[in-house]
């Protein structure tokens, strides 16, 4: 995640800490404090002035997992806990004016996994619920232009934010109404982190190729024509994803024509 001035990249690492990497000088430093081996930091937002980071703190005790919203100065310093309760929270991100933190939480429902969107004042106070529907709503991203936010909506009954499911990317307008922006096959990773262009006119997202099309047959790849697909050739997942990497990462000339078509439509 980039700082507003584009000079620093902030990263959540597997060891549970957040690091800052100076893109100019090439020096990295740890931002977060050591809160013990049972506490992890998951970065989700940088304040508009670049002074603070918003993260989800995950702690475990006696087998129970607790997540809350925190902030910390980008240069390091004292953590500020924004929420303090037993409700699962995630996806914390600053508003364009830096006065609010938007996040998803299960605090509005008694159904397991039924996350909705909320916001809470950075200065502290009671969270305000923003969505009230049967779907499972995650990762709110306020537009830098203000007035609306984008989020990913999972089918009713979804637990967590899984990958490889049919989801809807939705826009929540300032008047509280939601509209569908696109239906796609994705989920985890589709818009986990801030996704807006600086002018608030576009968003970046990730959509996954569908099912058996990953096996690489030309007829299956042809079925993907016309869909917005981002093909990322990295050997990250087990199974079909790794097969795709091994089969098509050697030279682009061996990719099916449908992949060439998708690459072109994605870049233009």
């Amino acid at each position: 995640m980039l700082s507003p001035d584009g000079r620093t990249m902030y990263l959540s690492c597997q060891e549970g800490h957040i690091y800052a990497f100076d893109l100019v000088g090439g020096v990295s430093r740890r931002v977060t404090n050591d809160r013990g081996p049972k506490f992890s930091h998951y970065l989700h937002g940088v304040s508009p002035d670049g002074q603070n980071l918003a993260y989800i703190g995950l702690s475990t005790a006696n087998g129970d997992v607790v997540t809350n919203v925190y902030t910390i100065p980008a240069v390091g310093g004292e953590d500020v806990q924004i929420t303090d309760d037993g409700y699962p929270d995630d996806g914390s991100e600053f508003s364009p004016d830096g006065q609010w933190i938007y996040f998803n939480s299960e605090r509005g429902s008694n159904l397991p996994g039924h996350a909705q969107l909320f916001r809470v004042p950075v200065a502290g106070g009671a969270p305000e619920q923003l969505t009230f529907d049967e779907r499972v709503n995650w990762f709110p991203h306020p537009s830098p232009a203000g007035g609306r936010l984008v989020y990913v909506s999972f089918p009713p009954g979804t637990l967590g934010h899984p990958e490889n499911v049919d989801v809807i990317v939705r826009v929540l307008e300032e008047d509280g109404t939601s509209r569908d922006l696109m239906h796609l096959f994705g989920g985890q990773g589709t818009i986990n982190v801030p996704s807006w262009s600086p002018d608030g006119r576009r968003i970046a997202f990730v959509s996954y190729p569908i099912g058996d099309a990953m096996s690489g047959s030309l007829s299956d790849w042809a079925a993907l024509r016309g869909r917005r697909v981002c093909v990322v050739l990295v050997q990250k997942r087990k199974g079909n994803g790794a097969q795709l990497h091994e089969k098509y990462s050697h030279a682009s000339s061996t990719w099916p024509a449908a992949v060439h078509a998708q690459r072109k439509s994605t870049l233009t």
Side-chain angles (χ1 to χ4, degrees), residues 152 154 161-165 167 184-192 208:
V152 62
F154 292 83
H161 50 109
E163 61 188 17
N164 298 327
V165 293
V167 296
L184 54 87
F185 189 72
Q188 162 68 0
T190 290
I191 53 168
N192 285 30
Y208 310 152

Side-chain angles (χ1 to χ4, degrees), residues 22-241:
D22 184 347
L23 296 176
V24 178
V27 177
S28 64
R29 58 179 173 82
R30 198 180 81 184
V31 177
T32 46
N33 301 303
D34 190 354
R35 300 169 64 97
K38 295 185 178 181
F39 190 97
S40 296
H41 309 73
Y42 294 95
L43 176 66
H44 280 279
V46 182
S47 63
D49 61 8
Q51 298 298 304
N52 293 283
L53 308 180
Y55 73 88
I56 296 298
L58 184 152
S59 60
T60 57
N62 302 318
D64 295 326
V65 175
V66 178
T67 55
N68 279 294
V69 178
Y70 293 78
T71 64
I72 189 172
V75 296
E78 185 177 354
D79 302 274
V80 176
Q81 186 167 351
I82 305 298
T83 63
D84 186 8
D85 49 56
Y87 298 107
D89 300 329
D90 211 333
S92 50
E93 186 176 333
F94 287 95
S95 61
D97 62 8
Q99 300 301 305
W100 296 85
I101 291 180
Y102 288 78
F103 65 107
N104 56 267
S105 177
E106 295 179 28
R107 65 186 61 240
S109 176
N110 293 323
L111 296 175
H114 189 206
Q116 295 293 295
L117 304 186
F118 292 79
R119 69 175 186 173
V120 63
V122 172
E128 173 187 348
Q129 188 166 347
L130 303 175
T131 57
F132 303 83
D133 59 80
E134 75 284 356
R135 295 183 63 84
V136 176
N137 301 322
W138 278 72
F139 300 131
H141 302 304
S143 166
R148 60 178 53 163
L149 60 84
V150 67
Y151 62 99
V152 62
S153 184
F154 292 83
T158 302
L159 296 178
H161 50 109
E163 61 188 17
N164 298 327
V165 293
D166 291 309
V167 296
I168 306 173
V169 175
R170 284 182 160 176
V171 175
L172 179 65
E173 301 289 357
E174 193 170 16
D175 63 4
T177 60
S178 292
R179 60 182 175 86
D180 295 356
L181 186 62
M182 68 191 82
H183 292 242
L184 54 87
F185 189 72
Q188 162 68 0
T190 290
I191 53 168
N192 285 30
V193 295
S195 306
W196 288 92
S197 62
D199 61 5
R201 300 183 62 185
R202 295 176 179 270
I203 65 164
F205 65 98
V206 177
S207 177
Y208 310 152
I210 297 175
D212 291 337
M214 296 291 285
S215 65
S217 72
L218 289 174
S219 60
D220 286 335
W221 278 105
L224 293 177
R225 289 185 183 273
R227 296 183 61 89
R228 294 183 177 181
V229 177
C230 176
V231 178
V232 180
L233 295 175
V234 293
Q235 192 165 357
K236 179 179 178 182
R237 308 185 188 283
K238 296 179 180 179
N240 289 336

